[in-house]
Amino acid sequence: MTYLADKKISIVIPSHNEEKNISYLIEQLRETLTPTGYAYELIFVDDGSRDNTLNELKINAELHTNVFYVELSRNFGKDYALKAGIAMAHGDAVITMDADLQHPPQLILKMLKLWENGYDIVYTYREGENPHGKGYQKVTSKLFYKGLNMLSDIKMENGTADFRLIDEKVVKQLKLIDEYEIFFRGIIKWAGYRQIGIPYVPSKRHTGEASYSFPKLVKLAVGSIVAFSARPLYIVSLIGLFFSTLAILYIPYVLVSYFLGYAVSGWASIIATIAFFGGLQLLVMSVIGVYVGKIFMQSKHRPHYIIRSSNVVIVNNDFIRV
Ligand code: UDP
Ligand code: MG
């Protein structure tokens, strides 16, 4: 294989309750990456794990000089964990991947080849349905991508994964993004550059349980769509316009009926109208509310995550182990 030996790859791995996967993943990555000749560093982000993940990371960081970790002060969510890891990475390319071995390490070789051929971003998307997902996830996942593609200006393949290679020049730009509830899969599409998607078949989780619950997924889905588009606002304003036009057309009918003495006291029609417009107003307001919430959170300018500990400090763009 003709890999460029003097380049360095940073692999960023968000980890939440992955105690039994860490050592195995490191071993798999070593087997995959050593033959390429690339220097590489593994940056694990412990995203508020409640199990032994941090200890596992400390042990491995003692064993391997290219294993680094940051411990976040609590569970901030995967995208913030990714942000924390990317902030530290300073390789010629950064690869992000899950800690549970659902992202096959072997695919990294293909990513590196495409990168060497001039692509700035190599992202992956799931081939077909997720064979390891829960039943309802087949429907919700499809709905999410349909909704996102319909309502926003980015187009994403079904099952786009947080398993991707990003060239250093793109990483530099990503580090500048200071967005609340950052959604990397969308940001990557939005960023442009020369990018290519490759399909992958997810493996089974090595050990442990997936940590995203249904309410968390719904919040993520709404947040992501809102982050990428103001189109829901335009849609509700169109609905509002449609019904206010109808109402205006209705008024002459009401007036004429009144003056001709045809007006009857219609309880059912009044209640139905009040209920309908009451519901519609709440819907419109809630859509606006979601956007106001985004502005509110963004306007606080809080840090997106807090680091509790790490085995590394960065001095002059170099890692110093502590
Ligand atoms: N993860 C994280 N923070 C969280 C939830 C998950 O860092 O709050 C990590 C997790 O350790 C794994 C990756 O994100 O490396 C994907 O999570 P998971 O396997 O639970 O989700 P799924 O496979 O359903 O995408
Ligand atoms: Mg997983």
Side-chain angles (χ1 to χ4, degrees):
M1 280 183 267
T2 54
Y3 294 122
L4 307 167
D6 53 343
K7 297 225 168 176
K8 187 174 199 172
I9 312 294
S10 306
I11 304 191
V12 170
I13 307 153
S15 314
H16 178 67
N17 297 343
E18 306 282 7
E19 57 182 2
K20 297 222 169 68
N21 297 329
I22 304 288
S23 296
Y24 187 71
L25 176 65
I26 292 174
E27 195 185 303
Q28 293 288 307
L29 286 172
R30 193 172 48 80
E31 273 176 27
T32 309
L33 287 163
T34 307
T36 69
Y38 278 113
Y40 67 95
E41 64 193 14
L42 308 182
I43 303 169
F44 285 90
V45 182
D46 176 27
D47 185 18
S49 297
R50 287 179 306 272
D51 66 356
N52 232 353
T53 299
L54 183 64
N55 230 7
E56 279 292 313
L57 292 176
K58 284 182 177 165
I59 293 167
N60 277 290
E62 287 293 319
L63 288 175
H64 312 281
T65 51
N66 62 344
V67 171
F68 303 97
Y69 68 83
V70 268
E71 178 202 4
L72 301 187
S73 62
R74 64 168 168 86
N75 178 239
F76 280 85
K78 183 189 187 180
D79 282 276
Y80 287 131
L82 279 170
K83 191 170 171 59
I86 289 173
M88 302 193 64
H90 57 289
D92 297 281
V94 173
I95 292 173
T96 61
M97 71 189 296
D98 287 359
D100 57 4
L101 288 124
Q102 291 208 273
H103 296 159
Q106 281 295 321
L107 208 65
I108 290 177
L109 300 180
K110 201 167 171 185
M111 290 178 172
L112 290 172
K113 269 264 165 288
L114 288 161
W115 177 53
E116 286 159 12
N117 287 340
Y119 284 102
D120 304 315
I121 298 171
V122 186
Y123 65 90
T124 63
Y125 58 90
R126 203 180 52 227
E127 198 171 4
E129 277 175 356
N130 183 1
H132 313 294
K134 296 191 185 101
Y136 71 85
Q137 282 175 347
K138 290 197 172 127
V139 183
T140 50
S141 162
K142 261 197 203 126
L143 272 179
F144 169 64
Y145 286 101
K146 261 220 155 61
L148 187 73
N149 289 340
M150 223 165 65
L151 293 172
S152 73
D153 299 322
I154 49 167
K155 296 281 164 272
M156 275 187 1
E157 284 92 345
N158 270 358
T160 301
D162 279 312
F163 183 26
R164 64 178 78 83
L165 179 147
I166 323 164
D167 184 85
E168 184 203 8
K169 58 177 166 293
V170 187
V171 173
K172 222 163 120 191
Q173 299 303 321
L174 292 183
K175 285 180 182 174
L176 299 176
I177 296 178
D178 175 40
E179 189 171 320
Y180 170 69
E181 277 189 352
I182 192 164
F183 174 54
F184 270 103
R185 280 171 274 173
I187 288 285
I188 291 291
K189 266 278 147 137
W190 168 88
Y193 286 95
R194 290 199 60 201
Q195 48 177 283
I196 183 167
I198 51 176
Y200 83 105
V201 180
S203 318
K204 201 167 169 307
R205 203 171 217 288
H206 182 55
T207 65
E209 291 277 324
S211 32
Y212 276 102
S213 59
F214 186 65
K216 242 178 158 180
L217 282 175
V218 172
K219 186 168 176 270
L220 189 72
V222 173
S224 312
I225 290 172
V226 169
F228 276 90
S229 170
R231 216 170 277 170
L233 283 175
Y234 298 126
I235 292 174
V236 291
S237 63
L238 277 182
I239 297 174
L241 190 71
F242 175 73
F243 283 105
S244 35
T245 313
L246 276 191
I248 289 169
L249 294 177
Y250 190 57
I251 289 170
Y253 167 76
V254 173
L255 288 179
V256 170
S257 310
Y258 176 74
F259 285 116
L260 294 181
Y262 296 147
V264 282
S265 52
W267 176 83
S269 61
I270 288 176
I271 292 296
T273 313
I274 289 176
F276 178 75
F277 283 104
L280 191 69
Q281 278 166 3
L282 283 181
L283 171 79
V284 174
M285 270 173 17
S286 64
V287 173
I288 299 170
V290 173
Y291 283 91
V292 173
K294 276 253 172 194
I295 300 168
F296 171 65
M297 293 307 288
Q298 185 77 45
S299 68
K300 291 173 192 270
H301 296 297
R302 279 191 196 150
H304 297 301
Y305 52 83
I306 298 173
I307 291 177
R308 181 171 179 272
S309 75
S310 174
N311 71 331
V312 68
V313 285
I314 302 173
V315 178
N316 292 336
N317 209 26
D318 253 335
F319 274 12
I320 312 266
R321 296 172 73 89
V322 288

